[in-house]
Amino acid sequence: MNLNKYLDVNPEVAEAVRAGRPVVALESTIISHGMPYPQNVETALNVERIIRENGAVPATIAIIGGRLKAGLTPEEIEYFGKKGTAIHKASRRDLAVLCAKGEDGATTVTTTMMIAHMAGIRIFATGGIGGVHRGAETTMDISADLEELASTPVMVVCAGAKSILDLGLTLEYLETKGVPVLGYGTEELPAFYTRQSGFRVDYRVDSPAELAKIFKTQNDMALGGGILVTNPIPEEFSMPKAVIDAAIDQAIAECNEKGIHGKETTPFLLARVAELTGGDSLASNIRLVYNNAKLAALTAAEYCKL
Ligand code: PSU
Ligand code: MN
């Protein structure tokens, strides 16, 4: 464990890491910027419960008053959910500034991976990752999440990526950076709200034990980077492709018209897609996060046996 002087690991999490018991990291941008209040808080608390029910300790990660936190209290989760987008969305470039200024920050996939790694946590569950945006050939909007996956040894369990991104280019980028993309029980990359995307993953993996073994092997070789596990949304909660595609196309058109760019793009698109689908996409989003939390907890438990 990197005993970073800016890091506070909650005692339950620290004890589990020390004893070699399973721990699963969770991000806070999904709470503050990814879902509306109060569903965000309810979801975050349920995710922690699901992780416990499946044998692991949850560690929701955030920055509070300039401290990097691995493991939040329910009150702190409520605070992030209520404050929502008024909290800084913290990517790699924001960490030092927010800590120096003593401010709060909601951690993205990037910074959650970084802080999880500092705290000795190997497995992280979320909904979707950032990636190469549609139109990136002119905007150069490529999420820092892809660079972090390339360099930080944390396994990220997600439901694929939303088609607000260019999924083909996102896969190309991950290939260039040497990040394995695994499909859980599928050969096809899931597209978050739907199980199909038309793109293939590198490998299909069918059990938490196999996921753990691959990650352990990568760590033993000291290859250095992460692994992306893409876990399809359960069939009963998936959305009709035409409905979600139309909402995403409209949200992207509005984003371009309004000239929204930079770190605002992803939160704008997430919120607009939820509005345009009348909350249906939010219900799907919540269900796929629960599904990922369970798989991450089971995989963390298998990893600890190796
Ligand atoms: N995609 C989602 N839900 C999310 C995010 C992305 O489907 O909540 C959040 C995650 O925190 C992710 C971040 O790390 O957005 C990516 O932002 P950007 O595209 O600005 O890198
Ligand atoms: Mn971006």
Side-chain angles (χ1 to χ4, degrees), residues 92 103 125 127 150 161 165 218 239 251 261 285:
R92 179 176 263 273
E103 292 191 17
L165 303 176
Q218 179 162 305
M239 292 190 68
H261 59 90
N285 195 342

Side-chain angles (χ1 to χ4, degrees), residues 161 163 167 186 188-199 232-233 235 238-239 241 245:
S163 52
L167 300 183
T186 181
E188 188 167 354
L189 176 75
F192 200 87
Y193 301 112
T194 59
R195 295 170 63 88
Q196 276 86 35
S197 67
F199 293 94
I233 184 170
E235 190 77 62
S238 70
M239 292 190 68
K241 189 174 179 319
D245 284 354

